[in-house]
Amino acid sequence: MARTKEFDKDEALIAAIEVFREHGFEGTSTEMLVGAMKIGRQSLYDTFGDKWKLYCLAVERYSADEASAHIAVMRGEANALDGIRAMILRVIENAGKACLGVNSICEFGQSRPDLSSLRNAADRRLKAAACERIGEAQLAGDVDKSLSAEAVADFLFANIAGMRIAVRAGAGRDHLQSLGQLAIRAIT
């Protein structure tokens, strides 16, 4: 008779996300994963497949969760520009922890279509929500109307990625706040 799994799959995936966030795919060993996930090696393989499949699941979950959190923050303010500012502030507040999405792009670029498609699904949802809020800010006169909402969203997300990379290079909170303020100034 097969043994039932004695761990929470969701908790194990969250633990794997944390390891991959800090060490990337190549820097993460199976031993690191089973230690953090508090499961046996065979349970990892039986439940999640190989290390690559687990990494893809981690990136997919992380990207979806981050997109949802950014969208909630953007929509959490009555004023659209304040919502955009709140999203940037969220990045600054959470900058101490590595971003699995940005790190996966830095590590693999577009070389792995399966990974790219996972990230792109969350990115499309986030960009649509950002474009909606940017459009609202443009109607209110808070964001330059001569810019397309899509271009503004791309600019903001490129800046956010740059901020996350800057943190990995040692940038402090003041530096990030300055980058965030400049990004907002550029679109208004």
Side-chain angles (χ1 to χ4, degrees):
M1 180 183 263
R3 256 180 61 182
T4 59
K5 290 184 175 51
E6 298 176 5
F7 65 92
D8 182 301
K9 184 179 174 182
D10 195 53
E11 287 177 12
L13 181 58
I14 291 168
I17 287 169
E18 294 305 313
V19 175
F20 286 130
R21 281 176 84 168
E22 192 56 38
H23 302 285
F25 178 77
E26 290 298 328
T28 297
S29 68
T30 303
E31 290 75 26
M32 293 165 72
L33 288 167
V34 297
M37 296 167 75
K38 297 180 176 52
I39 63 174
R41 182 182 290 265
Q42 193 58 48
S43 290
L44 185 149
Y45 295 129
D46 290 346
T47 306
F48 299 103
D50 61 16
K51 181 178 146 184
W52 179 252
K53 288 179 185 170
L54 176 59
Y55 183 73
C56 287
L57 286 171
V59 170
E60 181 178 36
R61 168 71 179 270
Y62 178 85
S63 297
D65 288 352
E66 277 295 293
S68 293
H70 280 322
I71 291 168
V73 167
M74 272 194 298
R75 291 181 176 159
E77 300 289 334
N79 177 279
L81 185 58
D82 288 344
I84 295 165
R85 277 191 188 105
M87 178 183 63
I88 291 173
L89 181 59
R90 179 182 180 275
V91 171
I92 293 167
E93 295 296 326
N94 295 306
K97 294 184 90 173
C99 175
L100 183 56
V102 170
N103 289 352
S104 71
I105 292 167
C106 291
E107 190 168 4
F108 293 101
Q110 295 293 312
S111 68
R112 299 294 302 249
D114 52 344
L115 182 62
S116 296
S117 68
L118 296 173
R119 286 190 314 254
N120 292 342
D123 290 348
R124 281 190 300 274
R125 190 167 62 92
L126 178 57
K127 185 173 179 180
C131 287
E132 181 182 304
R133 294 276 22 211
I134 291 162
E136 292 171 26
Q138 288 173 319
L139 287 174
D142 293 334
V143 169
D144 187 343
K145 291 178 184 175
S146 70
L147 304 170
S148 76
E150 292 81 13
V152 172
D154 289 340
F155 173 79
L156 290 173
F157 293 127
N159 277 274
I160 287 171
M163 291 167 67
R164 288 181 161 169
I165 292 169
V167 167
R168 295 296 279 183
R173 184 178 175 82
D174 290 344
H175 187 121
L176 296 179
Q177 286 177 326
S178 176
L179 292 174
Q181 289 168 354
L182 287 170
I184 293 295
R185 183 182 298 169
I187 67 171
T188 57

